[in-house]
Amino acid sequence: MNTDIQILDMPLDINACINWVMAPECGGIDVFIGTVRNHTKGKSVLRLEFEAYERMALKEMDKIAKEMLQCWPLHKIAMHHRVGILGVGEVPVVIAVSAAHRDAAFDACRYAIDTLKETVPIWKKEIFEDGEVWVAAHP
Amino acid sequence: MNTDIQILDMPLDINACINWVMAPECGGIDVFIGTVRNHTKGKSVLRLEFEAYERMALKEMDKIAKEMLQCWPLHKIAMHHRVGILGVGEVPVVIAVSAAHRDAAFDACRYAIDTLKETVPIWKKEIFEDGEVWVAAHP
Amino acid sequence: MKVLAFGIVKEIFSGSSIDLEFDNELTVADVKRKLETQYPKLKALASYAVAVNDEYAENDLVIKDNDEVAIIPPVSGG
Amino acid sequence: MKVLAFGIVKEIFSGSSIDLEFDNELTVADVKRKLETQYPKLKALASYAVAVNDEYAENDLVIKDNDEVAIIPPVSGG
């Protein structure tokens, strides 16, 4: 099995993702780590709340990984997404991709996070001092 | 100081690089990790030997980081390169880039490794069972 | 028919699922129409999709008994 | 003039530096010419550059006393 896809309600283990994709036949690993930013559109963010339609989200993440393996000569893919309440600086997502050559790792990793943000049924609510908002819900 | 550039003769600390660039004002971190591959052009590689013209290499790495900061809205850059003898699976280079938005982190990280491989005076010798060769030395 | 809600749709439905009256065969488009009549705030969303059995569903898909139907407001993971 | 060698150039020079005869003012191009005469294997390299005081140097740069000169064969870090 060359994909490790998980939705977790505890802190993500970046190291575990990197170690899992690392292999003697690889020359490069690209890792994307999402972090909770302390502000958005000029407003201070206190925390984020992530919710997933878990079974479907895992399926959609799995589709992304399959597409990546079809499009690029990759070795392994780890894609972990966290749910629950996250404070500023915490890590909602880690995607690690290993390949014999770095171009494939970079392209595939970027494709993964771009596509995850478009298709995977996970939602985040930004919590401010004076209210909260589901991101992207309204035009 | 928003750049951490080092040439080291001991195992690189991937975590330290990631933790160093991570910050509350960032939304994304891209990390490139080079690893020693067990083969090249169909031949088994036993180990690699990296040598640097250290002072100049640090200067060139610093130039790359300055260019990155000029071209993209980045927060922090860690760029660590190892020298000495490395076995298969070991890590010669780690580049971690944090930014408010992921596109800048991806673009800048890729620019960093691409440019490092072109301009930074570091050389690697591949050691095979039946000989050794300085990579890229001859046409 | 049980319809699952996520994110902002939980607020619109005032709960994590609702039961939709199901007299005859319904397509995804029918479900959307019914829900929008019952919950006009759905129309204020930037967009929303319907998933049937954990897959994004086209408007003309016919929903069967025991299918799991979910409303997917604009996603914002990562 | 002391000329530093790295990578494969250490093998060509049989050492990590050589002393180059320095009678009058030399440019980087002069240094290359002298070295290629003395070490013809330099010409077999895919390419090589000259660094003066830790910076890549153009052919017309004039080398001064106490400058640190280094031969930079094709780099292969990363």
Side-chain angles (χ1 to χ4, degrees):
Chain A
M1 196 55 186
N2 43 12
T3 60
D4 170 23
I5 291 170
Q6 296 188 45
I7 292 176
L8 297 154
D9 59 359
M10 53 186 172
L12 302 184
D13 187 339
I14 298 171
N15 260 329
C17 291
I18 292 173
N19 289 334
W20 192 80
V21 300
M22 212 176 248
E25 52 267 57
C26 292
I29 297 171
D30 192 41
V31 188
F32 177 74
I33 301 160
T35 51
V36 174
R37 211 148 56 102
N38 60 8
H39 67 280
T40 182
K41 292 169 192 158
K43 284 186 80 168
S44 277
V45 173
L46 297 184
R47 60 186 182 276
L48 293 186
E49 204 179 313
F50 284 87
E51 181 187 347
Y53 181 13
E54 190 168 321
R55 209 173 46 235
M56 180 175 172
L58 288 169
K59 259 196 192 177
E60 290 293 326
M61 286 161 79
D62 199 54
K63 279 185 201 169
I64 294 172
K66 285 201 169 64
E67 286 159 8
M68 291 161 73
L69 291 168
Q70 269 169 9
C71 291
W72 292 280
L74 306 178
H75 185 64
K76 279 181 161 185
I77 302 165
M79 203 185 299
H80 290 192
H81 203 297
R82 190 170 163 192
V83 290
I85 293 167
L86 276 76
V88 167
E90 287 199 89
V91 172
V93 65
V94 177
I95 301 175
V97 180
S98 60
H101 300 286
R102 70 184 184 282
D103 282 346
F106 272 112
D107 284 337
C109 187
R110 196 163 183 170
Y111 172 83
I113 181 64
D114 287 351
T115 311
L116 182 149
K117 283 172 177 274
E118 281 175 10
T119 65
V120 176
I122 296 178
W123 299 269
K124 67 172 157 249
K125 188 162 66 174
E126 288 167 341
I127 292 134
F128 308 105
E129 287 210 348
D130 59 350
E132 46 186 59
V133 62
W134 285 100
V135 175
H138 292 111
Chain B
M1 194 57 186
N2 43 12
T3 61
D4 170 24
I5 291 171
Q6 296 188 45
I7 292 177
L8 298 154
D9 59 359
M10 53 186 174
L12 302 184
D13 187 339
I14 298 170
N15 260 327
C17 292
I18 293 172
N19 289 335
W20 192 81
V21 301
M22 211 175 248
E25 52 267 58
C26 291
I29 298 172
D30 192 40
V31 188
F32 177 75
I33 300 160
T35 51
V36 175
R37 211 149 56 104
N38 59 8
H39 67 280
T40 182
K41 291 167 192 160
K43 285 186 79 169
S44 277
V45 172
L46 297 184
R47 59 184 182 278
L48 294 187
E49 204 180 313
F50 283 86
E51 182 188 343
Y53 180 12
E54 190 169 320
R55 209 173 44 236
M56 180 174 170
L58 288 169
K59 258 194 191 179
E60 291 293 325
M61 286 160 81
D62 199 56
K63 278 184 202 171
I64 294 172
K66 285 201 169 63
E67 285 158 9
M68 291 161 73
L69 291 168
Q70 268 169 12
C71 290
W72 292 280
L74 306 178
H75 184 63
K76 279 180 162 187
I77 302 165
M79 203 185 299
H80 290 192
H81 204 297
R82 189 170 164 193
V83 289
I85 293 167
L86 277 75
V88 166
E90 288 199 89
V91 173
V93 64
V94 177
I95 301 175
V97 180
S98 60
H101 300 287
R102 71 185 184 282
D103 282 346
F106 272 112
D107 284 338
C109 187
R110 195 163 186 172
Y111 172 82
I113 182 63
D114 287 351
T115 311
L116 182 149
K117 284 174 175 273
E118 280 174 10
T119 66
V120 176
I122 296 177
W123 298 271
K124 68 172 154 246
K125 189 161 66 174
E126 288 168 341
I127 292 134
F128 306 105
E129 286 208 349
D130 60 350
E132 45 185 60
V133 62
W134 285 101
V135 175
H138 292 110
Chain C
M1 177 195 306
K2 193 178 176 189
V3 179
L4 302 181
F6 296 95
I8 195 163
V9 178
K10 282 196 305 190
E11 294 171 10
I12 295 173
F13 286 2
S14 303
S16 61
S17 74
I18 53 151
D19 279 303
L20 195 67
E21 210 180 316
F22 190 108
D23 31 6
N24 48 3
E25 209 170 57
L26 288 185
T27 64
V28 166
D30 295 331
V31 169
K32 284 180 171 174
R33 237 182 335 259
K34 275 177 171 279
L35 289 172
E36 286 177 15
T37 310
Q38 212 167 327
Y39 304 95
K41 282 183 176 170
L42 275 178
K43 290 185 280 190
L45 295 179
S47 70
Y48 72 93
V50 174
V52 177
N53 299 329
D54 308 332
E55 299 279 351
Y56 287 106
E58 300 292 330
N59 275 329
D60 57 1
L61 184 82
V62 176
I63 296 165
K64 293 185 210 71
D65 271 1
N66 302 319
D67 281 350
E68 182 171 296
V69 177
I71 306 306
I72 312 288
V75 303
S76 53
Chain D
M1 179 197 302
K2 194 179 176 188
V3 179
L4 303 179
F6 296 95
I8 195 165
V9 178
K10 282 195 305 191
E11 293 171 12
I12 295 173
F13 287 0
S14 301
S16 62
S17 73
I18 54 151
D19 279 303
L20 194 68
E21 211 180 316
F22 189 108
D23 29 8
N24 49 3
E25 210 169 54
L26 288 185
T27 64
V28 165
D30 295 331
V31 168
K32 283 180 171 174
R33 236 179 338 257
K34 272 175 173 281
L35 289 172
E36 286 177 14
T37 309
Q38 214 169 325
Y39 304 95
K41 281 183 178 170
L42 276 178
K43 290 185 280 190
L45 294 178
S47 70
Y48 72 94
V50 174
V52 177
N53 299 329
D54 308 334
E55 298 280 351
Y56 287 106
E58 299 293 328
N59 274 330
D60 57 0
L61 184 81
V62 177
I63 297 165
K64 294 185 208 71
D65 271 1
N66 303 319
D67 279 351
E68 181 170 295
V69 177
I71 306 305
I72 312 289
V75 302
S76 53

